Amino acid sequence: MRRAFGAIDDRLLRRLYADENRTAQRIAMQVGCSPTTILRRLRLFGISPRHRGPAPRRNTPLAWSAEAAYAVGLVATDGNLSSDGRHMSFISKDRDLVETFRRCLELTTLVRMLRTRTGSGLYRVQWCDRRLYDWFLSLGLMPAKSLRLGRLAVPDDRFADFFRGCIDGDGSVRVYKDRYHCTKKDRYVYERLYVSLVSASLAFVDWVRTTVTRLVHVAGAIHEDKRAGQRPIWTLRYAKAESIRLLRWMYYAPDVPSLERKRVTAEKFLRPLGCASVRSVGRPRIGWLYSCPGPHSQAGDDRVVPACHSVGVFCPWGSGGTRDTRGAQNAMPVRA
């Protein structure tokens, strides 16, 4: 004989369903009612029902870390959340970026190669994880996000990793020689540096720009690229000294996850240019000076000291290795 409907109270149902992780069918057999009755009671008591299907087989990294924030930046730009509520994918032309993405999220799915119509190759990793999918949704990500993406719940202390993931996904670190004024003088050749982020969502790039301005104190500029018959594309761009400061903030340590080819481009602007005892005047040259005590310097000595505390640069004295320069906010630009 079935038990009365009222005998399924709130405390019993929470213990069986939430604490002991039993299914609605098992609970229905235990209390003597149908699984539909259990689901109705879950909604009545405000208990969120689990998705159908098997439970996740691994513990998804839901805690914030450098790897998790970097992966969120990649998903926000080049990732995709399926509308079925559990499948996700990430596609890139750089296989090493896809492999880095797999390591950040501890995925076991293999990387597959896709052929485009032009014959070029793309690399994709696709996997199923309901817990991770729900976590992405809680941050503000969504299916079909290209035009709807906006503010994401990324903490400030991990925004550098998130921003680096966005740049590696849909951004660029571009360096080129500007010879526009060569006709006036042959020596008027300048090395230009731009850090850019491209998106089809104005709300997203505007939120990124506002947050970076608050954290790094660089302004940047948003440009619109609108072509006939196509939706506008928005580009967030940092140039000159702003881009140098931004790169120093992004690559705060030599072992942070990143795309190798873009980091190689950025590293030449992270290396020190030399030594200086006072701040230089005039237009700063690309590069940063980091002061550290030399092997012969004494306490209170204001002589010129070597600049060796840049990201990824070996320091032959002092700590004896690379350092996290995220706290070195007193670095100053120097001229050759």
Side-chain angles (χ1 to χ4, degrees), residues 36-230:
T36 304
T37 302
I38 298 298
L39 295 176
R40 289 174 179 171
R41 277 282 171 158
L42 290 175
R43 299 186 185 97
L44 178 63
F45 296 140
I47 304 174
S48 300
R50 296 187 295 267
H51 293 282
R52 298 182 62 183
R57 296 183 179 179
R58 66 179 182 87
N59 293 325
T60 306
L62 302 181
W64 282 106
S65 62
E67 291 75 16
Y70 180 75
V72 171
L74 292 176
V75 174
T77 51
D78 277 347
N80 176 65
L81 274 66
S82 176
S83 58
D84 62 5
R86 58 184 184 275
H87 284 92
M88 295 155 284
S89 64
F90 177 73
I91 301 177
S92 176
K93 66 179 181 180
D94 298 284
R95 185 185 181 104
D96 58 338
L97 182 61
V98 181
E99 294 291 351
T100 302
F101 179 79
R102 289 178 65 245
R103 289 194 298 270
C104 288
L105 293 182
E106 300 179 359
L107 302 178
T108 58
T109 309
L110 298 179
V111 177
R112 305 293 182 181
M113 184 175 181
L114 306 176
R115 287 293 180 182
T116 63
R117 296 180 179 178
T118 59
S120 58
L122 295 175
Y123 299 94
R124 181 185 69 176
V125 56
Q126 184 175 12
W127 75 103
C128 176
D129 192 327
R130 294 199 311 270
R131 292 185 60 197
L132 185 59
Y133 189 101
D134 293 339
W135 187 62
F136 284 153
L137 291 181
S138 68
L139 299 180
L141 296 171
M142 65 198 77
K145 59 180 172 48
S146 298
L147 302 177
R148 303 185 295 149
L149 192 61
R151 179 187 299 270
L152 301 180
V154 180
D156 289 348
D157 59 339
R158 290 302 176 188
F159 204 87
D161 303 292
F162 167 78
F163 184 79
R164 188 176 62 256
C166 293
I167 294 298
D168 287 350
D170 268 345
S172 63
V173 180
R174 183 187 177 197
V175 181
Y176 71 97
K177 296 288 185 180
D178 185 357
R179 303 180 184 275
Y180 183 80
H181 297 287
C182 280
T183 55
K184 298 179 181 180
K185 281 189 179 181
D186 293 341
R187 64 186 182 91
Y188 285 175
V189 179
Y190 304 98
E191 191 173 43
R192 303 296 188 189
L193 169 65
Y194 291 97
V195 177
S196 305
L197 174 63
V198 179
S199 176
S201 173
L202 177 60
F204 177 69
V205 294
D206 185 64
W207 167 72
V208 171
R209 178 193 179 190
T210 302
T211 307
V212 171
T213 300
R214 177 170 55 85
L215 297 177
V216 195
H217 307 292
V218 292
I222 298 178
H223 304 276
E224 179 184 7
D225 182 12
K226 190 173 183 180
R227 301 179 183 179
Q230 298 182 4

